[in-house]
Amino acid sequence: MPTFPIPMPTDLTILLTVMDFVGVFVFGLSGGTLAVRKQLDLFGVMVLSLAAALAGGVVRDLLIGALPPASLQDDRYLLVALAAGLAAFLFHKPINRLGKPVMVLDAAGLGLFTVAGCSKALSYGLTPLPAALLGVMTACGGGAMRDLLVAEVPRVLREEIYAMAALLGAAVVIAGRQLDLPPVPVAVVGALAAFLLRVVSVQRNWSAPKAPWS
């Protein structure tokens, strides 16, 4: 009897859309969870959730000329971000039991948004270096906005391995594109690489180099 195997998709359209939405949700949760920790009200939770979830993608789309930004064209982005904020508001206690929830959620969003941002920049014709920088900006922009709104120094500017983890994820995507490797596995590996480097660096207290004698 003949079999009909299901082929793996060869383009990134569906995967990147899924990564975008998952990234929006986990970054929205990280913003909402931080807002609850700072004892903000429901409105403040929603504002931080929206900022964390959408700011990086909006900046990316503005810079590459993808107008209006995806989050303003498709209501689902706003709805997913608001749902994440509401989930953080209602279920912050079980989320906090996970241990360092903001860091873990932030690391997950970092990996997903890095791959989505870098891949979208490449699809708009950018060369590898600007595409990598836009991937980092997509991943770090929302977290930076979230931290600034609660008067914290953004994580991307601290000693922790943060932007470097995003750069690793972007490098995997670019290397895969240059070597003409299957795009879907490359995207998954890039997101995992950024996530794992971020989490391991926090667990082992790794930090980016500082100026000598500073």
Side-chain angles (χ1 to χ4, degrees):
M1 178 181 296
T3 57
F4 300 96
I6 299 174
M8 178 176 286
T10 57
D11 65 83
L12 285 176
T13 304
I14 297 176
L15 179 64
L16 292 182
T17 301
V18 171
M19 282 188 164
D20 248 355
F21 283 123
V22 175
V24 164
F25 188 78
V26 296
F27 260 135
L29 271 181
S30 77
T33 303
L34 181 60
V36 172
R37 181 186 299 170
K38 295 291 184 177
Q39 299 184 332
L40 303 186
D41 61 13
L42 177 60
F43 180 76
V45 171
M46 291 303 183
V47 168
L48 242 65
S49 180
L50 287 168
L54 303 178
V58 169
V59 172
R60 172 201 66 202
D61 289 350
L62 289 174
L63 290 176
I64 64 177
L67 300 174
S71 58
L72 300 182
Q73 290 188 58
D74 190 338
D75 288 346
R76 291 177 297 174
Y77 285 93
L78 293 171
L79 292 173
V80 169
L82 290 172
L86 185 60
F89 185 80
L90 295 175
F91 306 113
H92 58 277
K93 288 186 177 180
I95 291 173
N96 284 328
R97 292 194 193 103
L98 298 175
K100 295 188 176 179
V102 173
M103 186 275 293
V104 174
L105 293 169
D106 194 72
L110 186 79
L112 293 165
F113 271 7
T114 296
V115 170
C118 183
S119 299
K120 188 167 185 177
L122 289 171
S123 72
Y124 270 72
L126 271 66
T127 55
L129 182 56
L133 293 177
L134 272 182
V136 173
M137 184 175 297
T138 304
C140 299
M145 179 65 70
R146 174 200 64 205
D147 294 343
L148 287 171
L149 287 173
V150 292
E152 289 187 0
V153 177
R155 295 172 190 269
V156 67
L157 301 180
R158 300 181 199 171
E159 300 174 12
E160 300 171 345
I161 303 294
Y162 195 82
M164 291 176 65
L167 277 173
L168 175 62
V172 171
V173 172
I174 291 168
R177 180 72 64 94
Q178 297 292 323
L179 296 172
D180 199 26
L181 297 175
V184 171
V186 167
V188 173
V189 170
L192 283 174
F195 172 77
L196 290 174
L197 178 56
R198 169 70 182 143
V199 171
V200 172
S201 70
V202 172
Q203 291 178 338
R204 302 199 175 187
N205 295 317
W206 293 347
S207 62
K210 297 171 62 177
W213 306 293
S214 62

mmCIF file of all heavy atoms in Angstrom, residues 76-122:
data_model
loop_
_atom_site.group_PDB
_atom_site.id
_atom_site.type_symbol
_atom_site.label_atom_id
_atom_site.label_comp_id
_atom_site.label_asym_id
_atom_site.label_seq_id
_atom_site.Cartn_x
_atom_site.Cartn_y
_atom_site.Cartn_z
ATOM 1 N N ARG A 76 -4.569 40.261 16.039
ATOM 2 C CA ARG A 76 -4.200 39.118 16.872
ATOM 3 C C ARG A 76 -2.970 39.415 17.724
ATOM 4 O O ARG A 76 -2.849 38.899 18.846
ATOM 5 C CB ARG A 76 -3.969 37.888 15.999
ATOM 6 C CG ARG A 76 -5.234 37.339 15.348
ATOM 7 C CD ARG A 76 -4.930 36.164 14.445
ATOM 8 N NE ARG A 76 -4.076 36.555 13.330
ATOM 9 C CZ ARG A 76 -3.572 35.684 12.453
ATOM 10 N NH1 ARG A 76 -3.818 34.383 12.572
ATOM 11 N NH2 ARG A 76 -2.805 36.105 11.457
ATOM 12 N N TYR A 77 -2.055 40.239 17.220
ATOM 13 C CA TYR A 77 -0.875 40.577 18.020
ATOM 14 C C TYR A 77 -1.289 41.294 19.301
ATOM 15 O O TYR A 77 -0.815 40.957 20.401
ATOM 16 C CB TYR A 77 0.082 41.462 17.209
ATOM 17 C CG TYR A 77 0.870 40.722 16.160
ATOM 18 C CD1 TYR A 77 0.413 40.632 14.860
ATOM 19 C CD2 TYR A 77 2.086 40.113 16.477
ATOM 20 C CE1 TYR A 77 1.129 39.952 13.882
ATOM 21 C CE2 TYR A 77 2.814 39.431 15.516
ATOM 22 C CZ TYR A 77 2.337 39.350 14.226
ATOM 23 O OH TYR A 77 3.051 38.669 13.276
ATOM 24 N N LEU A 78 -2.148 42.296 19.170
ATOM 25 C CA LEU A 78 -2.609 43.025 20.348
ATOM 26 C C LEU A 78 -3.393 42.115 21.286
ATOM 27 O O LEU A 78 -3.228 42.177 22.512
ATOM 28 C CB LEU A 78 -3.473 44.210 19.918
ATOM 29 C CG LEU A 78 -2.752 45.324 19.167
ATOM 30 C CD1 LEU A 78 -3.766 46.322 18.600
ATOM 31 C CD2 LEU A 78 -1.769 46.041 20.074
ATOM 32 N N LEU A 79 -4.248 41.269 20.722
ATOM 33 C CA LEU A 79 -5.053 40.378 21.554
ATOM 34 C C LEU A 79 -4.186 39.378 22.316
ATOM 35 O O LEU A 79 -4.429 39.101 23.492
ATOM 36 C CB LEU A 79 -6.075 39.639 20.685
ATOM 37 C CG LEU A 79 -7.183 40.518 20.075
ATOM 38 C CD1 LEU A 79 -8.033 39.710 19.106
ATOM 39 C CD2 LEU A 79 -8.052 41.138 21.178
ATOM 40 N N VAL A 80 -3.153 38.835 21.646
ATOM 41 C CA VAL A 80 -2.257 37.883 22.311
ATOM 42 C C VAL A 80 -1.494 38.576 23.436
ATOM 43 O O VAL A 80 -1.347 38.028 24.540
ATOM 44 C CB VAL A 80 -1.293 37.248 21.290
ATOM 45 C CG1 VAL A 80 -0.182 36.471 21.999
ATOM 46 C CG2 VAL A 80 -2.058 36.323 20.351
ATOM 47 N N ALA A 81 -0.999 39.800 23.172
ATOM 48 C CA ALA A 81 -0.265 40.533 24.209
ATOM 49 C C ALA A 81 -1.162 40.848 25.394
ATOM 50 O O ALA A 81 -0.751 40.716 26.562
ATOM 51 C CB ALA A 81 0.324 41.816 23.619
ATOM 52 N N LEU A 82 -2.399 41.268 25.130
ATOM 53 C CA LEU A 82 -3.335 41.566 26.219
ATOM 54 C C LEU A 82 -3.713 40.306 26.988
ATOM 55 O O LEU A 82 -3.851 40.334 28.221
ATOM 56 C CB LEU A 82 -4.579 42.240 25.654
ATOM 57 C CG LEU A 82 -4.385 43.662 25.124
ATOM 58 C CD1 LEU A 82 -5.644 44.137 24.413
ATOM 59 C CD2 LEU A 82 -4.001 44.619 26.249
ATOM 60 N N ALA A 83 -3.864 39.186 26.266
ATOM 61 C CA ALA A 83 -4.164 37.918 26.943
ATOM 62 C C ALA A 83 -3.016 37.513 27.860
ATOM 63 O O ALA A 83 -3.234 36.996 28.964
ATOM 64 C CB ALA A 83 -4.427 36.827 25.908
ATOM 65 N N ALA A 84 -1.788 37.754 27.414
ATOM 66 C CA ALA A 84 -0.628 37.437 28.256
ATOM 67 C C ALA A 84 -0.619 38.299 29.510
ATOM 68 O O ALA A 84 -0.340 37.812 30.618
ATOM 69 C CB ALA A 84 0.659 37.647 27.459
ATOM 70 N N GLY A 85 -0.927 39.586 29.358
ATOM 71 C CA GLY A 85 -0.990 40.463 30.520
ATOM 72 C C GLY A 85 -2.072 40.034 31.496
ATOM 73 O O GLY A 85 -1.860 40.025 32.719
ATOM 74 N N LEU A 86 -3.240 39.646 30.971
ATOM 75 C CA LEU A 86 -4.328 39.195 31.837
ATOM 76 C C LEU A 86 -3.951 37.900 32.547
ATOM 77 O O LEU A 86 -4.252 37.709 33.739
ATOM 78 C CB LEU A 86 -5.595 38.999 31.010
ATOM 79 C CG LEU A 86 -6.868 38.650 31.784
ATOM 80 C CD1 LEU A 86 -7.219 39.750 32.784
ATOM 81 C CD2 LEU A 86 -8.027 38.422 30.823
ATOM 82 N N ALA A 87 -3.278 36.995 31.830
ATOM 83 C CA ALA A 87 -2.837 35.738 32.452
ATOM 84 C C ALA A 87 -1.854 36.013 33.582
ATOM 85 O O ALA A 87 -1.928 35.386 34.655
ATOM 86 C CB ALA A 87 -2.201 34.838 31.396
ATOM 87 N N ALA A 88 -0.926 36.957 33.357
ATOM 88 C CA ALA A 88 0.030 37.300 34.411
ATOM 89 C C ALA A 88 -0.692 37.913 35.613
ATOM 90 O O ALA A 88 -0.337 37.644 36.769
ATOM 91 C CB ALA A 88 1.078 38.264 33.872
ATOM 92 N N PHE A 89 -1.710 38.738 35.350
ATOM 93 C CA PHE A 89 -2.456 39.390 36.428
ATOM 94 C C PHE A 89 -3.225 38.380 37.268
ATOM 95 O O PHE A 89 -3.265 38.470 38.497
ATOM 96 C CB PHE A 89 -3.412 40.414 35.819
ATOM 97 C CG PHE A 89 -4.164 41.235 36.831
ATOM 98 C CD1 PHE A 89 -3.566 42.323 37.444
ATOM 99 C CD2 PHE A 89 -5.473 40.923 37.162
ATOM 100 C CE1 PHE A 89 -4.258 43.086 38.376
ATOM 101 C CE2 PHE A 89 -6.175 41.677 38.097
ATOM 102 C CZ PHE A 89 -5.561 42.761 38.705
ATOM 103 N N LEU A 90 -3.832 37.392 36.604
ATOM 104 C CA LEU A 90 -4.690 36.433 37.311
ATOM 105 C C LEU A 90 -3.926 35.256 37.893
ATOM 106 O O LEU A 90 -4.311 34.702 38.924
ATOM 107 C CB LEU A 90 -5.770 35.905 36.347
ATOM 108 C CG LEU A 90 -6.788 36.940 35.851
ATOM 109 C CD1 LEU A 90 -7.704 36.306 34.815
ATOM 110 C CD2 LEU A 90 -7.584 37.522 37.008
ATOM 111 N N PHE A 91 -2.841 34.849 37.222
ATOM 112 C CA PHE A 91 -2.152 33.608 37.603
ATOM 113 C C PHE A 91 -0.688 33.844 37.963
ATOM 114 O O PHE A 91 0.151 32.983 37.756
ATOM 115 C CB PHE A 91 -2.248 32.598 36.453
ATOM 116 C CG PHE A 91 -3.651 32.331 35.989
ATOM 117 C CD1 PHE A 91 -4.071 32.727 34.732
ATOM 118 C CD2 PHE A 91 -4.567 31.700 36.823
ATOM 119 C CE1 PHE A 91 -5.367 32.492 34.302
ATOM 120 C CE2 PHE A 91 -5.871 31.453 36.408
ATOM 121 C CZ PHE A 91 -6.271 31.859 35.141
ATOM 122 N N HIS A 92 -0.372 35.032 38.515
ATOM 123 C CA HIS A 92 1.031 35.330 38.824
ATOM 124 C C HIS A 92 1.602 34.408 39.893
ATOM 125 O O HIS A 92 2.800 34.094 39.869
ATOM 126 C CB HIS A 92 1.182 36.782 39.260
ATOM 127 C CG HIS A 92 0.361 37.159 40.449
ATOM 128 N ND1 HIS A 92 -0.960 37.520 40.365
ATOM 129 C CD2 HIS A 92 0.684 37.226 41.771
ATOM 130 C CE1 HIS A 92 -1.425 37.801 41.571
ATOM 131 N NE2 HIS A 92 -0.457 37.626 42.448
ATOM 132 N N LYS A 93 0.757 33.917 40.812
ATOM 133 C CA LYS A 93 1.287 33.038 41.863
ATOM 134 C C LYS A 93 1.799 31.717 41.309
ATOM 135 O O LYS A 93 2.941 31.332 41.583
ATOM 136 C CB LYS A 93 0.232 32.814 42.944
ATOM 137 C CG LYS A 93 -0.003 34.045 43.814
ATOM 138 C CD LYS A 93 -0.953 33.739 44.955
ATOM 139 C CE LYS A 93 -1.124 34.975 45.852
ATOM 140 N NZ LYS A 93 -2.057 34.706 46.978
ATOM 141 N N PRO A 94 1.019 30.965 40.511
ATOM 142 C CA PRO A 94 1.585 29.735 39.935
ATOM 143 C C PRO A 94 2.740 30.004 38.984
ATOM 144 O O PRO A 94 3.668 29.195 38.894
ATOM 145 C CB PRO A 94 0.395 29.100 39.193
ATOM 146 C CG PRO A 94 -0.637 30.165 39.074
ATOM 147 C CD PRO A 94 -0.429 31.075 40.226
ATOM 148 N N ILE A 95 2.706 31.143 38.272
ATOM 149 C CA ILE A 95 3.829 31.474 37.382
ATOM 150 C C ILE A 95 5.093 31.691 38.203
ATOM 151 O O ILE A 95 6.175 31.219 37.847
ATOM 152 C CB ILE A 95 3.497 32.723 36.538
ATOM 153 C CG1 ILE A 95 2.393 32.406 35.530
ATOM 154 C CG2 ILE A 95 4.739 33.228 35.809
ATOM 155 C CD1 ILE A 95 1.887 33.608 34.762
ATOM 156 N N ASN A 96 4.961 32.371 39.335
ATOM 157 C CA ASN A 96 6.134 32.643 40.166
ATOM 158 C C ASN A 96 6.711 31.375 40.782
ATOM 159 O O ASN A 96 7.895 31.340 41.135
ATOM 160 C CB ASN A 96 5.780 33.646 41.273
ATOM 161 C CG ASN A 96 5.685 35.063 40.751
ATOM 162 O OD1 ASN A 96 6.393 35.427 39.818
ATOM 163 N ND2 ASN A 96 4.791 35.845 41.328
ATOM 164 N N ARG A 97 5.902 30.342 40.924
ATOM 165 C CA ARG A 97 6.415 29.087 41.487
ATOM 166 C C ARG A 97 7.365 28.377 40.529
ATOM 167 O O ARG A 97 8.068 27.448 40.924
ATOM 168 C CB ARG A 97 5.253 28.154 41.825
ATOM 169 C CG ARG A 97 4.381 28.650 42.976
ATOM 170 C CD ARG A 97 3.473 27.555 43.499
ATOM 171 N NE ARG A 97 2.436 28.089 44.373
ATOM 172 C CZ ARG A 97 1.175 28.269 44.023
ATOM 173 N NH1 ARG A 97 0.773 27.911 42.806
ATOM 174 N NH2 ARG A 97 0.280 28.763 44.864
ATOM 175 N N LEU A 98 7.381 28.785 39.287
ATOM 176 C CA LEU A 98 8.270 28.142 38.311
ATOM 177 C C LEU A 98 9.737 28.443 38.594
ATOM 178 O O LEU A 98 10.614 27.737 38.134
ATOM 179 C CB LEU A 98 7.915 28.613 36.892
ATOM 180 C CG LEU A 98 6.502 28.267 36.409
ATOM 181 C CD1 LEU A 98 6.265 28.898 35.040
ATOM 182 C CD2 LEU A 98 6.328 26.753 36.330
ATOM 183 N N GLY A 99 10.009 29.508 39.317
ATOM 184 C CA GLY A 99 11.390 29.867 39.610
ATOM 185 C C GLY A 99 11.945 30.779 38.540
ATOM 186 O O GLY A 99 12.031 30.414 37.369
ATOM 187 N N LYS A 100 12.310 31.992 38.954
ATOM 188 C CA LYS A 100 12.822 33.010 38.044
ATOM 189 C C LYS A 100 11.959 33.111 36.777
ATOM 190 O O LYS A 100 12.468 32.991 35.652
ATOM 191 C CB LYS A 100 14.274 32.719 37.666
ATOM 192 C CG LYS A 100 15.235 32.797 38.843
ATOM 193 C CD LYS A 100 16.682 32.685 38.395
ATOM 194 C CE LYS A 100 17.622 32.852 39.568
ATOM 195 N NZ LYS A 100 19.049 32.723 39.175
ATOM 196 N N PRO A 101 10.663 33.307 36.924
ATOM 197 C CA PRO A 101 9.777 33.254 35.752
ATOM 198 C C PRO A 101 10.080 34.320 34.723
ATOM 199 O O PRO A 101 10.036 34.069 33.523
ATOM 200 C CB PRO A 101 8.383 33.442 36.353
ATOM 201 C CG PRO A 101 8.615 34.157 37.638
ATOM 202 C CD PRO A 101 9.929 33.639 38.158
ATOM 203 N N VAL A 102 10.381 35.543 35.173
ATOM 204 C CA VAL A 102 10.635 36.616 34.211
ATOM 205 C C VAL A 102 11.860 36.291 33.367
ATOM 206 O O VAL A 102 11.871 36.463 32.146
ATOM 207 C CB VAL A 102 10.813 37.968 34.932
ATOM 208 C CG1 VAL A 102 11.247 39.043 33.945
ATOM 209 C CG2 VAL A 102 9.513 38.378 35.612
ATOM 210 N N MET A 103 12.911 35.767 34.005
ATOM 211 C CA MET A 103 14.128 35.442 33.266
ATOM 212 C C MET A 103 13.882 34.339 32.245
ATOM 213 O O MET A 103 14.330 34.422 31.083
ATOM 214 C CB MET A 103 15.231 35.027 34.236
ATOM 215 C CG MET A 103 16.590 34.801 33.581
ATOM 216 S SD MET A 103 16.816 33.130 32.882
ATOM 217 C CE MET A 103 16.835 32.141 34.372
ATOM 218 N N VAL A 104 13.167 33.279 32.650
ATOM 219 C CA VAL A 104 12.925 32.159 31.739
ATOM 220 C C VAL A 104 12.035 32.590 30.572
ATOM 221 O O VAL A 104 12.315 32.291 29.404
ATOM 222 C CB VAL A 104 12.288 30.979 32.496
ATOM 223 C CG1 VAL A 104 11.904 29.875 31.527
ATOM 224 C CG2 VAL A 104 13.269 30.440 33.539
ATOM 225 N N LEU A 105 10.947 33.316 30.877
ATOM 226 C CA LEU A 105 10.073 33.803 29.818
ATOM 227 C C LEU A 105 10.803 34.769 28.903
ATOM 228 O O LEU A 105 10.642 34.744 27.676
ATOM 229 C CB LEU A 105 8.849 34.489 30.436
ATOM 230 C CG LEU A 105 7.875 33.584 31.195
ATOM 231 C CD1 LEU A 105 6.865 34.417 31.965
ATOM 232 C CD2 LEU A 105 7.175 32.626 30.248
ATOM 233 N N ASP A 106 11.615 35.618 29.493
ATOM 234 C CA ASP A 106 12.393 36.580 28.724
ATOM 235 C C ASP A 106 13.359 35.857 27.792
ATOM 236 O O ASP A 106 13.539 36.250 26.631
ATOM 237 C CB ASP A 106 13.154 37.506 29.676
ATOM 238 C CG ASP A 106 13.704 38.724 28.974
ATOM 239 O OD1 ASP A 106 12.905 39.604 28.611
ATOM 240 O OD2 ASP A 106 14.923 38.802 28.784
ATOM 241 N N ALA A 107 14.001 34.795 28.283
ATOM 242 C CA ALA A 107 14.933 34.033 27.458
ATOM 243 C C ALA A 107 14.227 33.345 26.301
ATOM 244 O O ALA A 107 14.736 33.294 25.175
ATOM 245 C CB ALA A 107 15.666 33.000 28.320
ATOM 246 N N ALA A 108 13.023 32.825 26.565
ATOM 247 C CA ALA A 108 12.245 32.198 25.496
ATOM 248 C C ALA A 108 11.864 33.218 24.430
ATOM 249 O O ALA A 108 12.010 32.972 23.223
ATOM 250 C CB ALA A 108 10.998 31.537 26.075
ATOM 251 N N GLY A 109 11.362 34.372 24.869
ATOM 252 C CA GLY A 109 11.025 35.426 23.915
ATOM 253 C C GLY A 109 12.234 35.918 23.155
ATOM 254 O O GLY A 109 12.157 36.234 21.962
ATOM 255 N N LEU A 110 13.380 35.985 23.839
ATOM 256 C CA LEU A 110 14.624 36.416 23.206
ATOM 257 C C LEU A 110 14.961 35.526 22.013
ATOM 258 O O LEU A 110 15.246 36.013 20.912
ATOM 259 C CB LEU A 110 15.760 36.379 24.234
ATOM 260 C CG LEU A 110 17.109 36.933 23.771
ATOM 261 C CD1 LEU A 110 17.095 38.454 23.821
ATOM 262 C CD2 LEU A 110 18.232 36.395 24.663
ATOM 263 N N GLY A 111 14.922 34.215 22.215
ATOM 264 C CA GLY A 111 15.246 33.294 21.136
ATOM 265 C C GLY A 111 14.260 33.373 19.990
ATOM 266 O O GLY A 111 14.647 33.430 18.811
ATOM 267 N N LEU A 112 12.969 33.397 20.310
ATOM 268 C CA LEU A 112 11.939 33.425 19.267
ATOM 269 C C LEU A 112 11.990 34.714 18.458
ATOM 270 O O LEU A 112 11.930 34.692 17.219
ATOM 271 C CB LEU A 112 10.560 33.263 19.906
ATOM 272 C CG LEU A 112 10.285 31.899 20.554
ATOM 273 C CD1 LEU A 112 9.057 31.979 21.447
ATOM 274 C CD2 LEU A 112 10.095 30.828 19.490
ATOM 275 N N PHE A 113 12.106 35.843 19.128
ATOM 276 C CA PHE A 113 12.099 37.121 18.424
ATOM 277 C C PHE A 113 13.392 37.345 17.641
ATOM 278 O O PHE A 113 13.381 38.007 16.604
ATOM 279 C CB PHE A 113 11.881 38.265 19.417
ATOM 280 C CG PHE A 113 10.441 38.589 19.647
ATOM 281 C CD1 PHE A 113 9.432 37.805 19.124
ATOM 282 C CD2 PHE A 113 10.075 39.698 20.387
ATOM 283 C CE1 PHE A 113 8.089 38.104 19.321
ATOM 284 C CE2 PHE A 113 8.745 40.023 20.598
ATOM 285 C CZ PHE A 113 7.753 39.218 20.063
ATOM 286 N N THR A 114 14.515 36.815 18.148
ATOM 287 C CA THR A 114 15.770 36.943 17.400
ATOM 288 C C THR A 114 15.644 36.280 16.041
ATOM 289 O O THR A 114 15.984 36.865 15.004
ATOM 290 C CB THR A 114 16.927 36.306 18.180
ATOM 291 O OG1 THR A 114 17.140 37.018 19.400
ATOM 292 C CG2 THR A 114 18.210 36.343 17.364
ATOM 293 N N VAL A 115 15.163 35.050 16.027
ATOM 294 C CA VAL A 115 15.038 34.299 14.775
ATOM 295 C C VAL A 115 14.020 34.964 13.854
ATOM 296 O O VAL A 115 14.279 35.157 12.656
ATOM 297 C CB VAL A 115 14.636 32.845 15.072
ATOM 298 C CG1 VAL A 115 14.261 32.112 13.786
ATOM 299 C CG2 VAL A 115 15.783 32.122 15.764
ATOM 300 N N ALA A 116 12.864 35.345 14.396
ATOM 301 C CA ALA A 116 11.830 35.980 13.571
ATOM 302 C C ALA A 116 12.320 37.303 13.000
ATOM 303 O O ALA A 116 12.121 37.601 11.816
ATOM 304 C CB ALA A 116 10.565 36.184 14.393
ATOM 305 N N GLY A 117 12.980 38.100 13.831
ATOM 306 C CA GLY A 117 13.446 39.408 13.379
ATOM 307 C C GLY A 117 14.548 39.316 12.352
ATOM 308 O O GLY A 117 14.526 40.012 11.323
ATOM 309 N N CYS A 118 15.521 38.451 12.594
ATOM 310 C CA CYS A 118 16.626 38.287 11.651
ATOM 311 C C CYS A 118 16.126 37.723 10.325
ATOM 312 O O CYS A 118 16.516 38.191 9.243
ATOM 313 C CB CYS A 118 17.694 37.387 12.259
ATOM 314 S SG CYS A 118 19.161 37.171 11.222
ATOM 315 N N SER A 119 15.259 36.737 10.386
ATOM 316 C CA SER A 119 14.732 36.127 9.158
ATOM 317 C C SER A 119 13.914 37.124 8.352
ATOM 318 O O SER A 119 14.011 37.168 7.117
ATOM 319 C CB SER A 119 13.883 34.903 9.510
ATOM 320 O OG SER A 119 14.638 33.920 10.168
ATOM 321 N N LYS A 120 13.108 37.944 9.024
ATOM 322 C CA LYS A 120 12.312 38.939 8.308
ATOM 323 C C LYS A 120 13.211 39.978 7.663
ATOM 324 O O LYS A 120 12.965 40.404 6.522
ATOM 325 C CB LYS A 120 11.322 39.606 9.260
ATOM 326 C CG LYS A 120 10.327 40.521 8.552
ATOM 327 C CD LYS A 120 9.183 40.920 9.470
ATOM 328 C CE LYS A 120 8.125 41.743 8.712
ATOM 329 N NZ LYS A 120 6.967 42.080 9.583
ATOM 330 N N ALA A 121 14.260 40.386 8.366
ATOM 331 C CA ALA A 121 15.198 41.356 7.790
ATOM 332 C C ALA A 121 15.882 40.783 6.550
ATOM 333 O O ALA A 121 16.037 41.474 5.534
ATOM 334 C CB ALA A 121 16.228 41.755 8.838
ATOM 335 N N LEU A 122 16.288 39.516 6.609
ATOM 336 C CA LEU A 122 16.912 38.881 5.448
ATOM 337 C C LEU A 122 15.933 38.798 4.281
ATOM 338 O O LEU A 122 16.303 38.999 3.126
ATOM 339 C CB LEU A 122 17.411 37.486 5.822
ATOM 340 C CG LEU A 122 18.628 37.424 6.753
ATOM 341 C CD1 LEU A 122 18.865 35.983 7.213
ATOM 342 C CD2 LEU A 122 19.875 37.965 6.054
#
